[in-house]
């Protein structure tokens, strides 16, 4: 632990459990009745802590950082979760103290490539989570409009100050996730829970809810079998790994132009890419874009008598420019060519390997 860390978190500065008793604070992160006691007179960590921090007060103030039951010395993820929890509005209510503490913590964490950033708020008080410095997308997700089918939705700003949207036309042609994005990202379990509430399926079997949601997402792919193979391959991961992995969200609006293409002069649409093929919202504000590229991305529309088309360098350059903008904004962008996604076992293995490596890259 860096020099000065323990001293700063001592009671005279900013004690780690804030306004909460230590047991109440730790219960927000751990099941203290499941962790063992180090004192042979007791069976649980809860009893242990009460005896030595409340009754006898014979443990040092910073005992939590060295106790192997909580693993703070061995796991960056566990330590970062605890540090973020120290700033939670339920733990600290003084904005000045939170500001002072976040400044100190980020000054220490920067040396290991991490920072604590605001990801949400509760009654205007900030909620923090950790992320790697230089990773992820700045800002918070405000609107997730996805699974688009048919004519584009008609969207109005009902509160331009808060960027609150409402879909007023073609409502049936898209979905709009309207819950705050958790610090852990958007998992299949969270998306299915939202879907169950939206569709009046609360209390229905989990498999029934998941199947209903999957069918709606699949519908948004239309006749695009290449994208369907991506969605199908990833859906098999839900069955194998469980619903707490990131959701793969198809046909997500990145930009929105209220006009149709015919409204603009040829090749003069202000927004070239309005939808992403797939989006994943991972922890630490990581946003992963997956694109499935057909020939329309890099050749002319005109088909020659011999069945071939001319390469279109302008289209390719526009696609590359959009990718640069996304990457500079913090998105990760991965592209598959049409040949990568033809029907067959090789495609399935290619996609499985990609998703395995992506999960490993972003493992906590």
């Amino acid at each position: 632990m860096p020099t000065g860390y323990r001293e700063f978190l001592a009671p005279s500065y900013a004690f780690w459990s804030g306004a909460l008793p230590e047991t109440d604070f730790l219960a927000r992160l751990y099941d203290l009745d499941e962790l063992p006691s180090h004192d042979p007179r007791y069976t649980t960590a809860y009893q242990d802590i009460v005896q030595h921090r409340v009754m006898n007060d014979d443990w040092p103030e910073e005992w939590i950082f060295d106790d192997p039951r909580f693993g703070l010395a061995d796991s960056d993820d566990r330590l970062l979760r605890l540090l973020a929890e120290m700033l939670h509005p339920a733990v600290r209510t003084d904005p000045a103290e939170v500001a002072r503490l976040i400044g100190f913590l980020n000054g220490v964490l920067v040396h290991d490539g991490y920072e604590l950033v605001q990801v949400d708020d509760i009654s205007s008080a900030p909620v923090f989570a950790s992320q790697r410095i230089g990773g992820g997308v700045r800002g918070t997700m405000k609107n997730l409009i996805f699974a688009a089918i048919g004519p584009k939705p008609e969207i109005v700003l009902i509160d331009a100050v808060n960027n609150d949207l409402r879909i007023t036309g073609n409502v049936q042609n898209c979905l709009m996730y309207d819950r705050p994005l958790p610090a852990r990202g958007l998992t299949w379990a969270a998306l299915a829970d939202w879907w169950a509430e939206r569709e009046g399926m609360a209390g229905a079997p989990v498999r029934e809810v998941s199947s209903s949601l999957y069918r709606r997402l699949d519908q948004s792919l239309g006749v695009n079998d290449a994208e369907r193979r991506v969605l199908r391959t990833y859906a098999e991961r839900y069955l194998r790994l469980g619903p707490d992995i990131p959701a793969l969200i198809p046909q997500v609006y990145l930009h929105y132009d209220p006009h149709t293409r015919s409204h603009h002069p040829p090749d003069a649409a202000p927004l070239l890419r309005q939808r992403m093929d797939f989006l994943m919202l991972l922890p630490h504000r990581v946003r992963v874009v997956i694109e499935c590229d057909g020939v329309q991305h890099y050749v002319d529309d005109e088909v020659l008598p011999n069945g071939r088309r001319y390469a279109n360098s302008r289209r390719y350059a526009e696609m590359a420019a959009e990718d640069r903008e996304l990457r500079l904004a913090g998105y990760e962008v991965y592209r598959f060519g049409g040949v990568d996604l033809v029907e067959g076992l090789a495609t399935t293995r290619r996609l499985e390997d990609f998703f395995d490596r992506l999960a490993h890259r972003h493992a906590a």
Side-chain angles (χ1 to χ4, degrees):
M1 187 171 294
T3 303
Y5 206 117
R6 297 172 187 271
E7 291 78 2
F8 190 88
L9 300 180
S12 59
Y13 292 93
F15 191 56
W16 53 269
S17 68
L20 299 181
E22 293 174 30
T23 49
D24 289 359
F25 175 87
L26 291 173
R28 297 172 61 85
L29 300 170
Y30 305 93
D31 186 343
L32 298 180
D33 290 325
E34 289 295 323
L35 294 175
S37 171
H38 285 171
D39 188 322
R41 295 173 294 175
Y42 307 106
T43 57
T44 70
Y46 177 84
Q47 296 169 323
D48 211 6
I49 297 167
V50 170
Q51 178 62 37
H52 293 281
R53 289 294 296 148
V54 179
M55 304 300 291
N56 289 354
D57 193 18
D58 54 5
W59 283 356
E61 305 287 356
E62 69 275 13
W63 67 271
I64 182 65
F65 298 103
D66 295 317
D67 193 312
R69 291 172 293 188
F70 302 96
L72 302 183
D74 304 317
S75 168
D76 287 348
D77 184 58
R78 291 181 183 179
L79 177 60
L80 291 167
R81 284 181 60 225
L82 181 133
L83 296 179
E85 195 66 26
M86 287 169 48
L87 304 168
H88 194 279
V91 178
R92 297 182 198 281
T93 58
D94 181 359
E97 183 186 27
V98 171
R100 181 166 57 94
L101 188 53
I102 189 69
F104 168 77
L105 292 174
N106 279 339
V108 174
L109 293 172
V110 66
H111 301 291
D112 292 312
Y114 291 101
E115 62 180 339
L116 298 173
V117 296
Q118 182 177 347
V119 295
D120 201 354
D121 66 82
I122 297 176
S123 299
S124 300
V127 175
F128 292 89
S130 64
Q131 71 172 25
R132 290 190 179 277
I133 293 175
V137 178
R138 293 285 180 177
T140 57
M141 183 196 81
K142 297 181 177 67
N143 305 294
L144 181 62
I145 302 172
F146 64 104
I149 57 176
K152 69 170 60 178
E154 297 175 8
I155 299 174
V156 297
L157 272 171
I158 59 173
D159 186 336
V161 176
N162 287 332
N163 196 29
D164 291 334
L165 305 182
R166 177 178 296 162
I167 300 175
T168 58
N170 297 324
V171 177
Q172 73 282 0
N173 290 345
C174 66
L175 303 177
M176 185 170 177
Y177 184 83
D178 53 4
R179 293 181 178 179
L181 181 66
R184 64 181 179 277
L186 184 57
T187 65
W188 178 258
L191 190 62
D193 183 70
W194 165 83
W195 178 254
E197 179 181 300
R198 180 186 187 276
E199 296 297 300
M201 300 179 69
V206 173
R207 181 176 290 273
E208 181 180 338
V209 174
S210 292
S211 296
S212 172
L213 173 57
Y214 179 82
R215 287 193 298 271
R216 176 59 183 83
L217 299 182
D218 180 81
Q219 184 184 4
S220 71
L221 303 181
V223 297
N224 194 320
D225 289 334
E227 293 181 10
R228 183 163 286 108
R229 291 182 191 106
V230 176
L231 184 68
R232 182 182 63 208
T233 301
Y234 194 80
E236 292 171 357
R237 297 176 69 84
Y238 302 137
L239 300 176
R240 188 170 73 254
L241 302 176
D244 292 322
I245 63 173
L248 182 67
I249 312 164
Q251 297 300 307
V252 181
Y253 272 97
L254 172 65
H255 308 305
Y256 182 79
D257 180 352
H259 299 296
T260 62
R261 186 180 297 274
S262 61
H263 177 86
H264 301 286
D267 299 323
L271 300 174
L272 297 175
R273 174 199 287 169
Q274 294 195 46
R275 293 192 308 211
M276 298 172 279
D277 290 341
F278 294 99
L279 176 67
M280 301 172 73
L281 299 168
L282 278 58
H284 309 303
R285 298 189 180 191
V286 172
R287 300 180 190 176
V288 174
V289 176
I290 299 173
E291 292 288 339
C292 307
D293 295 341
V295 295
Q296 73 274 12
H297 289 273
Y298 47 83
V299 300
D300 285 335
D301 293 331
E302 181 184 358
V303 180
L304 301 176
N306 61 4
R308 297 178 180 273
R309 303 184 192 182
Y310 285 118
N312 189 316
S313 58
R314 178 184 55 78
R315 284 188 175 179
Y316 180 81
E318 289 171 349
M319 181 180 69
E322 283 288 310
D323 280 4
R324 288 196 300 273
E325 290 299 318
L326 279 176
R327 291 191 176 100
L328 289 172
Y331 288 80
E332 294 184 17
V333 182
Y334 299 95
R335 289 189 171 276
F336 287 89
V339 176
D340 289 328
L341 299 174
V342 296
E343 183 67 58
L345 182 59
T347 292
T348 300
R349 289 176 175 170
R350 182 179 298 112
L351 289 169
E352 288 174 344
D353 178 67
F354 166 74
F355 286 123
D356 284 343
R357 294 170 66 185
L358 183 66
H360 179 74
R361 169 179 166 80
H362 293 289

